[in-house]
Structures are given as C-alpha cells and as structure tokens.
Amino acid sequence: MLLELKADTNYLDKQALIERLENMGFRVVESDANILAIIGGIDSLVVTEAFAELPNVAKVHPLTANFKLASRQTKASDTIITIKNKQIGGKELFIIAGPCSIESREQLEACAKVAKENGAHALRGGAYKPRTSPYEFQGMGVPGLELIAEIGAKYDLVTVSEVMEISQLEVASKYLDVIQIGARNMQNYGLLTELGKIKNPVLLKRGFAATYQELLMAAEYIMLSGNPNVILCERGIRTFETFTRNTLDLNAVPALQQLTHLPIVADPSHGTGVRSLVLPMARASVAAGAHGILVEMHPNPDKSISDAKQTLSFETFAELTKQVRKIKAALE
Amino acid sequence: MLLELKADTNYLDKQALIERLENMGFRVVESDANILAIIGGIDSLVVTEAFAELPNVAKVHPLTANFKLASRQTKASDTIITIKNKQIGGKELFIIAGPCSIESREQLEACAKVAKENGAHALRGGAYKPRTSPYEFQGMGVPGLELIAEIGAKYDLVTVSEVMEISQLEVASKYLDVIQIGARNMQNYGLLTELGKIKNPVLLKRGFAATYQELLMAAEYIMLSGNPNVILCERGIRTFETFTRNTLDLNAVPALQQLTHLPIVADPSHGTGVRSLVLPMARASVAAGAHGILVEMHPNPDKSISDAKQTLSFETFAELTKQVRKIKAALE
Amino acid sequence: MLLELKADTNYLDKQALIERLENMGFRVVESDANILAIIGGIDSLVVTEAFAELPNVAKVHPLTANFKLASRQTKASDTIITIKNKQIGGKELFIIAGPCSIESREQLEACAKVAKENGAHALRGGAYKPRTSPYEFQGMGVPGLELIAEIGAKYDLVTVSEVMEISQLEVASKYLDVIQIGARNMQNYGLLTELGKIKNPVLLKRGFAATYQELLMAAEYIMLSGNPNVILCERGIRTFETFTRNTLDLNAVPALQQLTHLPIVADPSHGTGVRSLVLPMARASVAAGAHGILVEMHPNPDKSISDAKQTLSFETFAELTKQVRKIKAALE
Amino acid sequence: MLLELKADTNYLDKQALIERLENMGFRVVESDANILAIIGGIDSLVVTEAFAELPNVAKVHPLTANFKLASRQTKASDTIITIKNKQIGGKELFIIAGPCSIESREQLEACAKVAKENGAHALRGGAYKPRTSPYEFQGMGVPGLELIAEIGAKYDLVTVSEVMEISQLEVASKYLDVIQIGARNMQNYGLLTELGKIKNPVLLKRGFAATYQELLMAAEYIMLSGNPNVILCERGIRTFETFTRNTLDLNAVPALQQLTHLPIVADPSHGTGVRSLVLPMARASVAAGAHGILVEMHPNPDKSISDAKQTLSFETFAELTKQVRKIKAALE
C-alpha cells in the first residue's frame, strides 16, 4: 500500500506517522516525494479506509505488484549502490571481470591488473564453485576468498564471488565486497533470508528458468529480510537452441527496469556460453540499458579449469571494454 | 571404471581386491554379478592398464556416463528401498498422498485416514514451504514435523516432507522417514552433500529446467556423499504452454529407467498444476512405468492454503487409486 | 453464441429458426440436446438481446472460447469419425502404424501385413516428406500415394499420409482416406482452409511450439471452412531436454479432451524420437486417454531412409499392440 | 565441397572447370578468392580424390555445415543486396518500418511519410495476415498490395509484405520489392522452393521454435532453388517467460553472422510484443550487429487492427531512429 501524504506535511509529522505505522506492525519505506510504502504485516486483512483517515494522508494507493520493496511503484528513482567509491545503478557503466574460478595468485592477479588497466570496477572469481558433477573442481574455498580480498584491495577493485550456502556466508561477507548468488540458488529461500542480515550488496543471478517476477520475488526475500542492496543479473535462460549454452535474454533488461528500481547487470559469458558471442552480446547488453556487465577472462582461456569455452583472452577483454564504452557514450 | 572379475574369483580374493582398491583411495561398489565399480579418486589420471593387471581382474570397462553410482552401468538391477516394511522400486506401486501444506492435526489426520483406506503407502505434507513470495505462508515448521511423525506412526504410513536447508536436516531426519528435496533445491550442492550423511531415503525432485542428466548428477552428489537411497521424482518442467502450470514430462520415466537403477516416482499434481488433469496423468505415469506416484489431496481442496488449484478431493483420490492399480495390473 | 431452445420446440420450428439464422448470415451448428451454436458472421457486433427475442429461444449463452466449432461448449458429446467401417473417437483404441517414408512396395506391404495381423486400423506412410534439408530424400510423391491406396485397400486399412501444400491436395484426397498435416504446417492457414473443402478426415499434428489453444484454432480453420472431421495429434514439443528429440506432452491429451469434442491421438515415435521410449510412451498415451496412437515401424528399422532412430521393429510393434490393448482394457 | 584452385589459374581455365563440373551435374558457386563451392548432385557418393585430380585444383576441402549455399564456408564475404539503390547487408543500417496490417491509404501513407522523414529505407505492411483465429481480420489482399506498391514508389521506399502461400506469389512478386515469409511458414518447403524461382529478395523470419541451423536450412531451400537473395530475420522465440509475448533472441545475430554470409535483421516489435521494450531492444539489436531492424508503427497505435500492444507511435519511432543511428555510429 502507498500512502500519498498531503503536500504540506512537515518533517516531524511525517516521522510521527512513520512511527505510528511501525508500531502497528508494518514496515514503512520512504518512497520518492511525499509517499510512504507500507509493507507486510497483516497487509491483506487491513481495511484500506483506515489508512485514509490517518493524519496527513491525502490518498491511499494499492501496491499492485507481488513484490513490494523491489517495485518501481514503491521507489520511483533508480537505486544506486556505492562500493569502494564506485557506483552501480548510476550513470557510469559498471564492469565486472575476472576468471570463472580462482586458480592461483598469479592467475587472479594477472586478471586484476588487466581489469584495472581497462577501467573495470570489480574483480570476480569463484572460490566456491557450484558444479553439476561432484567429480569436478569445487573451488579453492577460503584461501580463494583471502586471495581475492588481498588482490581486490591492491588494485582498488570491488570484489565479487559466489556463496552457495549459509555456512559460507559469515567468512565470505568479511572477505568480499559483493556476495554473488548463482542461478541454481536463486530460490534457495533460507540463503536469501540470511543475505538480508548482512551489509554486503548482493549480486542475484536469475535462475535459468525463472521468470522476471520470480527474480524480483527472490530479491524481495533479501530486501524484506533487511538488505536493500540487491543487484539483479541476467545470465541466460534455457531454451531449445543448442548452438548456445544458454540464451541471454536481453529483454529482461528493459523489462526489469520498468518493474524495479534495482540495478541490473548482464552476463554475456554465461548467457551465451560461446566465447565468440561475448563481445557482441556485451555491446547489446549495454545498448539494452544494463547498468553493468559481468564477463569472464583468463590469462590462458583454453586452460581455464572451468567454463573455458566462454572465457575471453585479455586482448578480447580490452577490446570489449573499448566497445562497450562507446555504446554507453552513444546512449547519452 | 568397471572391473570384470574372473569367473572363478572366490569371496576372500574379492574382498582382498576391494580392500586394496580402497587403500589406493577409490570408492568401490559391488555391482551385480562379478563386477566392481571403481569411483572417484584420481579417476581420470589413472592408467587403465594398471587395473587390468590386478589379481582376478578379467577385463576393464570404462564408465561412460558422467554419473557413476547412479548409473545402470554400475548396478544393473533395480534399487529397491524398504521403509516401514513397504517397498519402493519393486513390483508394487508406491502411492504417496497428502496435503500440500500441513495445516492442522485435523486436516492431516483426515488425509492420513483416507490415504490408508485407499491403500496408499506414504503420507506427505509440507512443514517447510518454499514460497515464491516472502509474504505467503511459510509452513508450520517443527510442530508440523511432529504432527506428521505422530500421524504417520498411528496410520502406519511412511512420512515424506520437504527440507529446504541444512539447518533443518537434523530435526527433520529424526521426525521423517523420507526427506524430500524440492525442485528449487535440486542443485543446492551443499544440501545434497549433507543428505549423503543421513540414513533417511531422499525423494529428489527434478528441477523445473533440469535435464535428465542433471537430475542424475544431483543424485550422484547424495550417493557419493554416502546415502545410496535416492528416489527420483518427475514433477513437471517449464515450457511455453500456459494451460498447465508445468508440463509433466513422462518421457523422463522410461528414459531415466534406462540410465539409472534408482526408483522413479511421478508427481502429476505439481506436474500439471490443474486438478482435472491429475487423475489421467496419474494413470499415464503408471503406464509409463513409474514405481510410484505422489499426489496432493485435501479435505476441502478449495480451501487449501497452498496449491489449491491442483489439490484433489478425497473422492477423486479414492477413484484415482482404483484406476492406477488397474493400470499397474495391466502391466504385468 | 449458444441458443438454448425451449424444451417443447418441435422439429419444424427448430428448422425454421435455423433457416432464419442462416439467412441472417450466420453458420448454425446443431449442438447436443436443444442447443444451437451460432458461429461467425458479424459476431462481435451483434446485440445478444436480439437473439433472446427469437421464437423458441429460452436463453442465450456466450461462447467463451476463441475456438467455436471445435469447442466442447458447442458440442458436448465426443465426435466419432467412421472411416472404412472403423471408428476413431469412440470406445475402441485406433492404431495407426507404418513406415516414416514409403520406400517400396515390398517395404509398405510388409508393414501393412504386420499392422493388420496385430489389429491396427490404419496404415501410414509418407509420400511427401517435409525435410529440414533440401539435400535429403523428399518422398516418392504420387507413386507413393498409389502404392498406399492399393495396399490399404488390399489389407482393409485406413490410409494416412501427409500433404504439405495445396497443389498436392487434389490428388492426395483421391488416393488417401485421411490427410495428415504435419507440425510444420499447423499454421499454414491457406492449406487449412483448403482442407475444409475436401471430404477426407484430417489428422492435424500439433506444431512443436504450438499451445493447445493454437492447435484448436488451427482445427477451427478447417472446420469453419467446411470439414468437421478433424483428428488432433500430439507429437511432442520443443523443450531444453536433449536426451529426447522432442518432449511428448501427454498433458495435452486430457487437457484437449476438456476443451474439445474432437478425437485425439498421440504419436510417441516423433514425440520422443527415441526407439526405446516408444513402447512405454504408447502405453502412457492410452492411459492418459488418447483415442488412438500413431507409431512408426519398418521391416529393417536401422535402414529406414528417415527417422531410423525412432522406428520400431515388427517384433516390438507386435508387443506394443498387446500392451496398449491391455491398458485400454484397464480403463473400462 | 570446396575446391581451392591453384594460384595462377586464369579466367578461361576457371570457366572451363566450372562448365565441366556443371556437366557432371553439380551446382557450382564462385566463392571469394579462388575457391569454387560444389553443391548437391550425388554429393555424398562422390570420391573426394576424383576432384583433387581435376585441372587447376590445388586442394579439396569438405563443406562441414548441413547448409551449403548459405554457409560462410562457401562464401566468406557478406552478401549485400541492393534494392531501389538501397543496400542491406553492407555498412549502412537498413530500417524497415510500417503498420502491422495495411488498413487504408491514409494509414499507410502516413506511415510512409514518417518512415521517409526519419530515414527509413523500407515500408512494411501486411496485405495477407496469418491470424491464429479464422475470425480475425485476414488482411486487405491484392488491394493492399496495390496500395503499398503505389505508396512505396511515391516515397522511394523498398516495399516489404508477407506472402503466405504459393498462389499469392505471382501477384505479390509483381507489386512488392521484398517478399516476407513469416515465422509460421519458415518450414513450408513448397513455398520456399517456389521463392527460389522469383527474383525478389526474400525476408525469411525465424520460426518461433526454430534453431539457427533450421533457419539456415530454410534459407538453403530458397537458395538451392535459384534465389540467392535471402535476408534472415530474428523475431523472437517461445520460452516460459510470460511478461513478453516472445523472447527476442539477439544471440542469433552474432551467431548467424558466424555461420552465414546472408544479411540479418532483427524485429523487436514481434520479438518482444511489448511496446515499451521495442526502443531499447532495437538499440540492442544494432549493437549486437544486426544489418537492419524491422519495427511496427501506426498513426494511432492503440487503434491498430492487429498487434496494437507492440506498435509504436510516430513520436517513439522518430526517437528510435535517432537512437539506433547513434548506436550504429558507435560501432565504427
């Protein structure tokens, strides 16, 4: 429910109203302008008219989306998240790059150096790897987190890495700037709820058969649990096409931007699974309006322990950053 | 890798060979006849020839599937799991029935009574509910588990309920006979690994965009971690069709039976999401060869807190059990 | 629109009303009981009330489905189509069998003999083959039609073969009993309209990405154009699964039976594309309620010019017919 | 098969070789540089070595793709098609715009004027409309073709309109510059073969469940039948997502460009089915590398007889053309 306040409501009266609503058991979000969003509680049981009679309330609007905190209705302006003096969700394109898996200090540092030289903002690298097969490399674990924290600090890069379960969250939230939740865990509701209790921004990847609405409901779990800093990530869906590993669904970018105020990045590496498609689809992601992109690169792509088929060389990554920035400039 | 032993290998020599292999760091599975399956370790690095020279080894066969323990290659005969003197995977059709969510003692007991009267083997009911929206009923939790344990004992029914995260596993494994893993958690690898450490059989539901191979790889995680009692469940996949909530993919039943020795049940309730389709699709599931079916019912289907649209009345459930048993009989 | 007539309306008054409606530019279908369905014309512009005032009209009901003639609303009882003294849509299971492509007299006659011996009702065989590649065998054409007509007559089997374009329709409708429209042409509206002008029943295959509603709208094109004898065929849809060539969607069988009065057959050969899945999925098709099944067989399956991977041997076909009849009997 | 000629082969010797091959029953395509592509005939039966011994042949390369004439292997350089002094497939972005259906002279001329003013190259408008329902507007037919021909000439715009069946082809090929084949007819092989016999370039839309390879095989039908001027069009595929009508698959653009030399356009209007997504997805299409875009507009979008939900206003179209040109400029 959205409460539109009277135009002349002063600061103190507004705070008093918020306190009163919170005492009634609601979560109150100060939306843009003079609008308060009322979330949860015994929402559906409440008589709308009761709200209309509260002091300073001019009009009551229903919240039509199933997601409330994530909805553009609740907050009209874009959410901008600032990490290490870098912004995502604002005017500048946010570039996240790095290897699929953290394999060694040398490998990760080489990637960080190239990322920094080419103007990337964040370094990604997997320490815990969700693998379809239990016989495949499962990631370096905590030593990997230590490495990315150290190298991220050295090169002034925001660090991003995936967490797969609640037990990893405490240590990961210390070492990492941004916690990534992978496609397979997008509806792991226990994990989502725990993410609400930490301060780190969360990069939430769309499940490979999740609708836009389901992605936003997953974000809602995190937000409702207390963490408003959710970055959505389109990373490809499952279709009948076999040339690509996934079908990067760029329609999600403008569609989500209509539905939510949260930042949206696109991952053309996983989204296509084909190295030669990453550059053009990175360009397309930016043209579609993505706030950022996430790409995989490796000093020796063909020797990457995981996802070798989609990993860029440093040369291609450098070219990619040039091209996406030209596209970004053309949008202004 | 499969080691075919010489025809005249005696029991003690076979045990000695198994011990030797285990000391080399391998997991050894005694397959049907005189075949040993060798799993894991430094599998891909091992020289096949070395195995051929071990005592009593007649021939070495590669294991071609990515899944090993779950593979029909490793174990040719059907796995039969016995719980409370009832068998799943054998000749008798195993019927699992109950409400989507456990709502009250009255509701659950009414379901148990009808299940028992109609020859069902197991009682299902959700205590922890994975809900797309954080604003929806999340289940009764432990009191729900207590209820199902008590009522399952009273009516001599195997109990089945979903666990969503590792922290719920300890209490759930005490109260429940079978732990269900839902579609959303099929690739929650941390949870799968923990399931390997408990004794309870696991009902593993196919993710709604998971391939047959991915389902089997998820089973492999559980089995490799120590729990061989995995029951696979086909519960519908996502397609473009909107008349049904999901598309129950019965092709999975005979396809999986070729690939694996594990029991397979079908869930026409979630698989269609449409009440009027549950009965015919339950029949079709059995005709396709499913070892069991899982259906939702409720004393007052339209008042079911969750999944009302697909929940059967007691009358329809009774009719369903008659019809599926006639189909089962026709297969003999 | 459905006109419910007064209980005491006599034959002559009913005919007079029909004539009057036809003179107004409508198509009138005599539905079961004392109901007339009014189709087309300036449908949406018509004032419902005007109909209520016609003589003998008790009540006017709207037709809610987009398809009218195909709708169960318009005609509550199952449509039964009789061809060569054999019925499809009635109580007996209708079995259609034969090779993918007609290759020679020997091959087709061998199939017909085995079909007849095993109680099949119809012989299928492709004379015009829709091939993804222009470099593949395109079918024998008219000589193939001549062969199937001759052999169908000899063995008293209903003949079924695919027509791909309007120019083939004249000759095909002479030689064949049933004209098959393949999945690729399900929305070839010009062809559908021409099918309305012939007398032969039409076997209309579901497009591999067509919804149930779209399939029914395609049937509506044929029916509206004058041919009421449409047999629907589920033959598999495209999904992300790669183990099967298509995903046979048996949910379509009971779903369509709710929506339409037309007969429905299932094609587990194309529907799975995997030989070893055809038999169990044929059983499941019948258990789901299909009025018939369509399967491919060949004297030497591995040498079939087309679709070798899914074609049954004669032995498997004989076993299949036994099993599906047992399933059919279990439904009674 | 590709024949690489010796470096010093002169013009006359090359022509003699081509003639000799054609006399052997092959189709010969002069590929870039000194390479001849050999298509069809008894292809698979031919002994490769025999070709190696022909005069002036330096080396024989197999053609690995199933499509031959459409393959980048056969012709490395981009195909550029020139129509009314405008090029598609070259450096300039080709913009096709107009209403979904031709409704009247006023409507079409208004669109043509706005298209021309904003630098579009082609005017589209449907005269024959493939409609899911037989009760919906089926198009103006020939009078519509006359209108678009007249208005296209007046505004110097290439004309594009859909043909649904062979019988429409003769008249349509007179009135239109480019014949469009819709998604539903992508595998209407009789129609594709007939298109090979006309001179008009063909805009071939991808079927909504067709793979990239199937689209290229459909193009191959047209090319093999004699018409090399095929323009491919990505127009959205069917997925589980319901927010959009289709999922525009922009991965197709760079993927197809690797596989084929044919021009590729994207249709964000049908591809999304959502008006507010057309502009950002048009930008993304161009950034992905599309040679052109196809968009629907209407003087009064909400009153469009067909596809109103996705049709742009003139104002949005004008803005779109500005933005896509900026993106195109950024690619240089």
Side-chain angles (χ1 to χ4, degrees), chain A residues 131 135 209 214 220-221 238, chain B residues 131 135 214 220-221 238:
Chain A
R131 302 306 295 266
Y135 304 110
E214 287 169 337
E220 190 81 7
Y221 263 96
R238 289 240 162 134
Chain B
R131 302 305 297 266
Y135 303 111
E214 287 168 338
E220 189 82 6
Y221 263 96
R238 290 239 161 134

Side-chain angles (χ1 to χ4, degrees), chain A residues 47-220:
Chain A
V47 184
T48 305
E49 288 84 48
F51 285 89
E53 289 169 17
L54 286 169
N56 295 303
V57 171
K59 212 169 171 187
V60 178
H61 305 275
L63 264 174
T64 50
N66 291 334
F67 41 94
K68 314 290 180 191
L69 293 167
S71 170
R72 192 62 96 175
Q73 267 193 301
T74 301
K75 179 169 178 298
S77 66
D78 283 354
T79 286
I80 299 176
I81 301 173
T82 304
I83 322 163
K84 282 188 175 167
N85 287 320
K86 295 163 187 67
Q87 291 191 328
I88 180 159
K91 289 193 177 169
E92 197 181 353
L93 183 71
F94 194 87
I95 301 176
I96 307 169
C100 180
S101 301
I102 302 173
E103 297 170 13
S104 69
R105 175 185 298 272
E106 292 65 36
Q107 172 237 31
L108 191 64
E109 184 150 9
C111 289
K113 195 163 171 290
V114 168
K116 192 69 188 179
E117 285 170 0
N118 289 283
H121 305 75
L123 177 66
R124 62 146 286 152
Y128 302 108
K129 297 300 302 172
R131 302 306 295 266
T132 305
S133 166
Y135 304 110
E136 288 171 347
F137 178 59
Q138 307 277 320
M140 286 179 70
V142 175
L145 294 177
E146 289 170 348
L147 266 184
I148 197 171
E150 179 195 325
I151 292 172
K154 179 169 173 186
Y155 288 90
D156 183 34
L157 290 165
V158 171
T159 55
V160 183
S161 194
E162 181 167 352
V163 164
M164 289 161 59
E165 47 188 275
I166 295 171
S167 64
Q168 298 160 346
L169 208 50
E170 193 181 344
V171 62
S173 64
K174 277 186 207 151
Y175 283 115
L176 299 171
D177 295 315
V178 174
I179 304 289
Q180 177 181 313
I181 298 303
R184 292 171 177 85
N185 279 309
M186 193 203 85
Q187 293 187 314
N188 182 336
Y189 300 123
L191 180 55
L192 297 180
T193 300
E194 289 304 307
L195 288 166
K197 301 174 185 166
I198 60 170
K199 304 256 181 246
N200 315 52
V202 176
L203 180 80
L204 178 66
K205 290 195 147 191
R206 180 184 182 192
F208 46 65
T211 61
Y212 305 157
Q213 168 144 324
E214 287 169 337
L215 174 58
L216 290 169
M217 293 309 294
E220 190 81 7

Side-chain angles (χ1 to χ4, degrees), chain C residues 260-286:
Chain C
T260 186
H261 51 84
L262 296 171
I264 299 153
V265 303
D267 174 353
S269 297
H270 290 88
T272 63
V274 178
R275 198 184 292 169
S276 60
L277 300 182
V278 176
L279 200 166
M281 293 309 285
R283 288 194 314 248
S285 300
V286 176

Side-chain angles (χ1 to χ4, degrees), chain C residues 214-237:
Chain C
E214 287 168 338
L215 173 58
L216 290 168
M217 294 308 296
E220 189 82 7
Y221 263 96
I222 300 170
M223 298 174 84
L224 187 63
S225 180
N227 187 342
N229 296 316
V230 179
I231 302 156
L232 304 175
C233 181
E234 160 60 33
R235 47 77 71 208
I237 56 171

Side-chain angles (χ1 to χ4, degrees), chain C residues 131 135 209 214 220-221 238, chain D residues 131 135 214 220-221 238:
Chain C
R131 302 306 296 265
Y135 303 111
E214 287 168 338
E220 189 82 7
Y221 263 96
R238 290 239 161 134
Chain D
R131 302 306 295 266
Y135 304 110
E214 287 168 337
E220 189 82 6
Y221 264 95
R238 290 240 161 135

Side-chain angles (χ1 to χ4, degrees), chain B residues 77-104:
Chain B
S77 66
D78 283 355
T79 285
I80 299 176
I81 302 173
T82 304
I83 324 165
K84 284 185 176 169
N85 287 321
K86 296 161 186 69
Q87 289 190 328
I88 181 159
K91 288 192 179 171
E92 197 180 355
L93 184 70
F94 194 87
I95 301 177
I96 308 169
C100 180
S101 300
I102 301 173
E103 297 171 12
S104 68

